[in-house]
Amino acid sequence: MLDRLGRSVRRKVGDFLYALGFFLDVVKESALLFRRKQVGFKVLVMQILFTGVEALRISAVTAIAIGAAINLIGTSLLSEFGQSQVMYTMLIIIITRELGPLLTAFIVTARSGTAIATEVGGMVVAHEIEAYVSVGVNPVAYLAAPRLLGVVVSMVVLTIYFNFFGLLGSFAVVQLIKPIGIEEYFRNLAAVLRPGDLGMGILKAFVFGLIVSVVSLYRGFSVERSSTEVPVAGIRAVGSSFMLIIVADAVLTAMQYAG
Amino acid sequence: MSDVPAIELRKAGARRGDYNILSDVSFSLPEGTVTFFMGVAGSGKSALLKTAAGLRPPDSGEVLFRGTSLARMSRKDEAHFRRVSAFVFQDAALWANQSLFDNLALPIRVHEGGMSKAEVERAVRRAVELVGYEEDLRIRPSDLSSGERRIVGLARSLVLDPELLFMDEPFSNLDEAAIERVSGIVAALKERGRTMAIVTSQSEFAGRYADFVAVLGGGGLKAFGSYEQAVGWEDASVRSVTGRLRRRRAEPKSATAWGLAGAWAEALAEDKAVLESETKVPEKKTKDQGEATLGDIINAVPDEDEEEDRGVAAEGGGNET
């Protein structure tokens, strides 16, 4: 019993150290990506296309719907307390600081996280990763680094895009309840918007992008032999990413308010 | 021939989870020799070959390439090791998301970044001609039969004219013509003094080309020796694997092997002439074998910074995620 427990703890510690080493390696190779001319440049472009550009539609629809819902709930609730003027502050806080990065991260995890984990896992099973090593290509530099950068860049851009459409969705509801000009609406928002709100949103997007990409790559590279491990890697990539994103969100929010 | 072996394993072990695939395996592959690794299915032949080729780090012990441990190699030395060695995978392991041309061109782009497009095309063409592949190179691996994929996988391993070749079951799952072709390539490589480590379950080919034979089983190396010694091994479990090996008689070399070796030498000479006429070629390095490889002709090994800066001038690697 104790022996089994000890082995389990040792394996968990080993796995954690391996994951930490993998994270540092991917980050290091990503930092050096542009020094290594043309390494995986096409992979980077394709990743931005898939993770960022192809997710624009779903992000826009989600953002508009969420923005509208927040406005509807906020308007009815705040007016009961005579606090309707707080609506703009609430929109900025909820959309730019919280839901923008969080929902964008969920979208990116669901689309790109699973795709990265299953694709890399499939490459491991087909011995394609070993083939890269055999010809002198570092798989982390060639496959992982451009994917990490692609996901992080896409996350930041998509979050800004989400914020804009979320506030636009809210504007649509405002038009139904108490029509105002779009200039006035955005002027009111700008009046309560602080650089810290935008900064925190972007910081969260950056951190969540790191989490999604590293976790998905790690899960993909962790596949060992069987093709049945590939979908499992996809599922684990989503589960671990969601959990870490939520924890990171709580930590960053706590840091902002504590600071 | 140099006294330092091309590859040496010292007490190397490989594990999968808690299960020992191999333990305490030691042997060396002298330069310019052909060693066949044999054993029943699941005896760890492929794991051993990948360990020797530096594709999976040993869980214990060490692997040395020309006297230097793979684990302690500098970036530059590792790049050189990858440049002069190649691996033929049992399942071809072609990159599914790249065209056949890009599959074949990637090793050249990695190691010979200064080559022009025309030079890369010429090297790729030479490799596919060598293996007898005649179809379109713009298609992807999924459009090929498994036998064709293996042939293209072999071409990829030959594209840089390696000095050291690891081959995992190169004769299996091929039609007769392809087997003859692959056999001729092995003969031609042997003729040209290349070092080869070949995993096979077909003793016929060991009988033709082996200088050394290794038998694996029971989680380790059961026997290792020259071909002449292998024919005389008496241990029943070893004989069950090597029992069909017979004392070798002097055989005339096959026309295919002669043809390939000659064609190869001609192709290299032609490449050299073309490159010399197109570019100013750096000083050629002297080889133990006294023979120039394509790499010598094209480029001297770059220094570490140069290697790092150049990186992979490739266009593929991924993907649709």
Side-chain angles (χ1 to χ4, degrees), chain B residues 122-174:
Chain B
R122 192 163 42 240
V124 168
R125 201 173 54 244
R126 181 166 59 77
V128 291
E129 280 169 5
L130 198 62
V131 298
Y133 178 79
E134 290 166 349
E135 307 298 321
D136 193 348
L137 288 176
R138 287 170 300 182
I139 58 176
R140 289 193 175 197
S142 56
D143 297 322
L144 300 180
S145 69
S146 64
E148 286 175 311
R149 277 202 289 271
R150 304 202 60 209
I151 289 293
V152 175
L154 177 62
R156 180 177 65 188
S157 72
L158 298 174
V159 79
L160 283 171
D161 190 23
E163 295 166 24
L164 175 59
L165 199 59
F166 301 91
M167 304 170 101
D168 195 355
E169 296 283 7
F171 308 105
S172 65
N173 200 19
L174 294 174

Side-chain angles (χ1 to χ4, degrees), chain B residues 5-14 22-30 35 37 44-70 81 164 166 197 214 216 220-221 224:
Chain B
I7 289 288
E8 184 181 359
L9 266 71
R10 291 182 184 162
K11 292 184 171 294
L22 296 165
S23 52
D24 278 349
V25 175
S26 300
F27 63 82
S28 32
L29 308 180
T35 306
F37 292 86
K45 302 186 292 291
S46 296
L48 179 65
L49 198 70
K50 285 179 180 174
T51 304
L55 297 185
R56 59 173 298 162
D59 292 303
S60 58
E62 61 178 345
V63 181
L64 294 92
F65 167 63
R66 291 178 181 158
T68 307
S69 170
L70 294 185
F81 170 62
L164 175 59
F166 301 91
L216 287 106
L221 197 58
F224 188 95

Side-chain angles (χ1 to χ4, degrees), chain B residues 190 206-207 210-213 225-233 239 245-249:
Chain B
K190 185 177 162 97
D211 295 310
F212 293 93
V213 176
S226 67
Y227 182 81
E228 288 69 29
Q229 288 171 319
V231 172
W233 283 334
R239 289 293 300 165
L245 298 181
R246 295 285 174 267
R247 292 211 179 277
R248 218 177 251 158
R249 293 186 200 132

